[in-house]
Amino acid sequence: AQTVTQSQPEMSVQEAETVTLSCTYDTSESDYYLFWYKQPPSRQMILVIRQEAYKQQNATENRFSVNFQKAAKSFSLKISDSQLGDAAMYFCAYRSQGYSGGGADGLTFGKGTHLIIQP
Amino acid sequence: DGGITQSPKYLFRKEGQNVTLSCEQNLNHDAMYWYRQDPGQGLRLIYYSQIVNDFQKGDIAEGYSVSREKKESFPLTVTSAQKNPTAFYLCASSLLARGNSPLHFGNGTRLTVT
């Protein structure tokens, strides 16, 4: 079974600065997908960014980018120019490609990192 | 607008009572999921369904039951056999039950059992 580890329970960053959230995962599969979700105080889960394991290029969505290191099984999230609205819990998640039936059970989540933005 | 509706937002029950949490989606998604969220635990999978009339147990299915009679609906019943039912419950759906289909989430139901 896959596991996802987020080693930083809480991170703090000054507004307008850059912060990197860490995520590592354990899998024996070669094809899979990785996601970062944001959960603000409203508790709504919002997709931030996703990465296909077969792509070498790191995904980018505006101020959010990832550093995907497949060999190291690492998938960190970088937030540039942090804004007060970025304050939230951030969850890293893994999903199997599904060729052999995997992935049907949705995403495996890490325990989350609480991001605090200091004004 | 398409989305996932969970109701109610807050639910209070006495110990020993069964309670059903509603989840409806109008995204025409095949797959639906129920997750439980506890402080410091992330999201843990309770049940999932790939298609109508089919569902599978997740990691923490004991004390829960589901049905999938319609594509749009995936209600979760928390039975009196669930030892620690107080939690935040999230329903989700995805277009496909595999691959890069992201999960779309409802706003959640906070269940308190006393």
Side-chain angles (χ1 to χ4, degrees), chain B residues 49 63 80 91:
Chain B
S49 169
S80 57
C91 179

Side-chain angles (χ1 to χ4, degrees), chain A residues 42-102:
Chain A
S42 67
R43 307 199 77 170
Q44 173 71 47
M45 292 287 285
I46 302 165
L47 177 66
V48 175
I49 200 166
R50 63 177 133 173
Q51 174 79 42
E52 293 86 351
Y54 62 84
K55 289 187 177 179
Q56 292 187 336
Q57 186 173 5
N58 290 324
T60 299
E61 289 286 343
N62 300 314
R63 298 183 295 107
F64 298 87
S65 61
V66 298
N67 183 6
F68 173 50
Q69 301 290 329
K70 191 172 183 180
K73 296 180 183 176
S74 172
F75 184 59
S76 60
L77 175 69
K78 186 172 81 171
I79 306 174
S80 303
D81 185 24
S82 298
Q83 301 175 359
L84 294 178
D86 295 333
M89 284 292 292
Y90 285 82
F91 293 96
C92 179
Y94 172 104
R95 188 171 202 177
S96 295
Q97 167 65 22
Y99 289 133
S100 57

Side-chain angles (χ1 to χ4, degrees), chain B residues 53-73:
Chain B
N53 293 322
D54 181 66
F55 50 82
Q56 305 296 329
K57 293 182 179 179
D59 300 320
I60 56 167
E62 185 176 351
Y64 299 97
S65 65
V66 294
S67 63
R68 186 88 187 274
E69 298 176 359
K70 299 186 299 181
K71 188 175 185 177
E72 305 79 23
S73 180

Side-chain angles (χ1 to χ4, degrees), chain B residues 14-60:
Chain B
K14 294 291 187 183
E15 194 172 319
Q17 294 180 335
N18 293 352
V19 59
T20 298
L21 282 61
S22 171
C23 178
E24 302 279 335
Q25 56 101 355
N26 60 4
L27 299 167
N28 200 32
H29 284 176
D30 285 332
M32 296 189 74
Y33 310 85
W34 274 105
Y35 286 91
R36 170 178 172 145
Q37 186 176 20
D38 296 283
Q41 292 293 321
L43 278 69
R44 293 182 291 169
L45 182 67
I46 304 172
Y47 267 97
Y48 64 99
S49 169
Q50 298 181 64
I51 56 173
V52 175
N53 293 322
D54 181 66
F55 50 82
Q56 305 296 329
K57 293 182 179 179
D59 300 320
I60 56 167

